Structure formats: C-alpha cells, structure tokens
Amino acid sequence: MKLIVGIGGASGAIYGIRILEALSHMPEVETHLVMSRTAKITIGAETDWEPKAVEALANEVHKIGNVAASIASGSFPTDGMIFAACSMKNLSAVVHSNADDLLSRAADVCLKERRKLVLMPRETPLHLGHCKLFYEAAQLGAILAPPMPGFYGRPKTVDDVINHSVGRVLDLFGLEANLAKRWSGLP
C-alpha cells in the first residue's frame, strides 16, 4: 500500500505526526510525506518534534513546491491521501482545484483518480463559508474526518484523544494500529 500524508499549517500537526508514527510500524505501507511551510512552524510551536525528525518517519519526503514529484501525477499509483491537519486555506484549495503546490495537487490527483482523500480539517468555530467548503469537498468525494474524539473509551490523556482520531482515520484504509478503543456495546 502507498499512502500520501499531507501536513498543512492548521493547529493539530500532531495528528499527521501520529499517523506517520503508526504507519512507520507497518512495513506494508509506503508513505509519501508533504508538509507546508506553515506546518513546519506549527510543528515547532505545538510539539517537541523537529520537522527533520517528522520527515524521518516517512519513506519518501516531497518538497511542497515540487509539483513535478511522483505524487503529482495520477499515473503514480497510490491508495490515497490523509491530509492532517488541513487548514481552511488548504481545504479551499482542494475544493477549488487550486493546485499551485504539491499538497493541493496531490489531493486533487486523489480526487480525479477516485482515490481516497481523507481530510482532517482543524478549525473551530466554523462560519458558513467553512461549512460550504465541507459540503463541496464531500460532493467531490473527499472524506471529512475532523479530529473529534469519542469519549466511550474514557480517554485519560491528550495522547488518548489524538490516538482515537488517528485510529479511526487509519480504519478508513483498512489499517489496524490498535490506537482507538472499539465500541463493544453496553452490558
């Protein structure tokens, strides 16, 4: 399996990092990473990670400005893309096919090739324009998976909350990372 992981500049870069961490333990998954310039700033501001260490988790790293990269073409087979965290600017670029960087181009390729594109938008509160973008992204075939924790697993730490959302996103690709507690019903 080949997956593209895109990390945009929205708050919540830890979701993209945790996805890469989980996938790095799955030798059957080849990861292609693209980070925006603002993602690198967000990583430094919100985590103890350095961008180079995040890049080391991926099998291949692509520069944001390289619109001639392998993942910029539909002829390069992938199983899809996870965009975490996806800013409203990134979401707008995807919805409007404004593929002027590799993040938006790779997402556009997934949509045109009918591959899974999972967007983890991170913004709150939302105004009508944001909601319209969510609606239009879904119409194009994107899967919207804002990081919203379930509390049935009784999370104790921030990591538990992050892992729940990451585990649910990986589920969309049939990948089991044992991160999310499964609902088993009430006794």
Side-chain angles (χ1 to χ4, degrees):
M1 175 178 278
K2 289 182 191 172
L3 278 180
I4 302 164
V5 176
I7 304 178
S11 180
I14 190 63
Y15 291 104
I17 295 168
R18 188 63 44 82
I19 286 164
L20 286 167
E21 284 181 303
L23 294 175
S24 72
H25 298 292
M26 299 178 190
E28 71 278 13
V29 181
E30 177 183 310
T31 53
H32 291 259
L33 173 64
V34 184
M35 287 191 288
S36 71
R37 289 172 195 87
T38 50
K40 293 176 182 181
I41 295 168
T42 304
I43 287 167
E46 295 182 349
T47 75
D48 293 329
W49 285 83
E50 293 291 329
K52 286 286 181 205
V54 174
E55 291 174 348
L57 294 170
N59 296 103
E60 191 162 340
V61 178
H62 302 276
K63 294 191 183 305
I64 186 76
N66 185 8
V67 292
S70 57
I71 60 173
S73 173
S75 68
F76 183 77
T78 69
D79 294 281
M81 178 176 180
I82 302 170
F83 203 146
C86 181
S87 71
M88 290 301 114
K89 177 183 176 185
N90 297 139
L91 180 60
S92 181
V94 170
V95 166
H96 295 105
S97 303
N98 184 8
D100 67 347
D101 65 27
L102 189 55
L103 268 175
S104 52
R105 175 61 189 167
D108 194 55
V109 166
C110 286
L111 290 174
K112 79 180 187 68
E113 298 292 330
R114 305 296 190 260
R115 298 174 186 159
K116 281 188 183 168
L117 173 61
V118 177
L119 304 173
M120 293 183 78
R122 238 297 308 133
E123 184 67 68
T124 190
L126 302 170
H127 61 61
L128 182 59
H130 298 149
C131 294
K132 217 170 131 184
L133 289 172
F134 278 39
Y135 175 74
E136 291 171 353
Q139 282 185 309
L140 292 171
I143 299 168
L144 289 142
M148 296 180 185
F151 290 95
Y152 51 83
R154 304 244 179 170
K156 306 269 186 285
T157 66
V158 172
D159 275 346
D160 291 342
V161 172
I162 293 164
N163 288 341
H164 176 82
S165 292
V166 167
R168 296 291 290 134
V169 165
L170 293 177
D171 282 349
L172 295 169
F173 290 91
L175 297 169
E176 178 58 66
N178 295 312
L179 293 174
K181 184 173 180 185
R182 305 284 178 192
W183 177 254
S184 59
L186 295 173

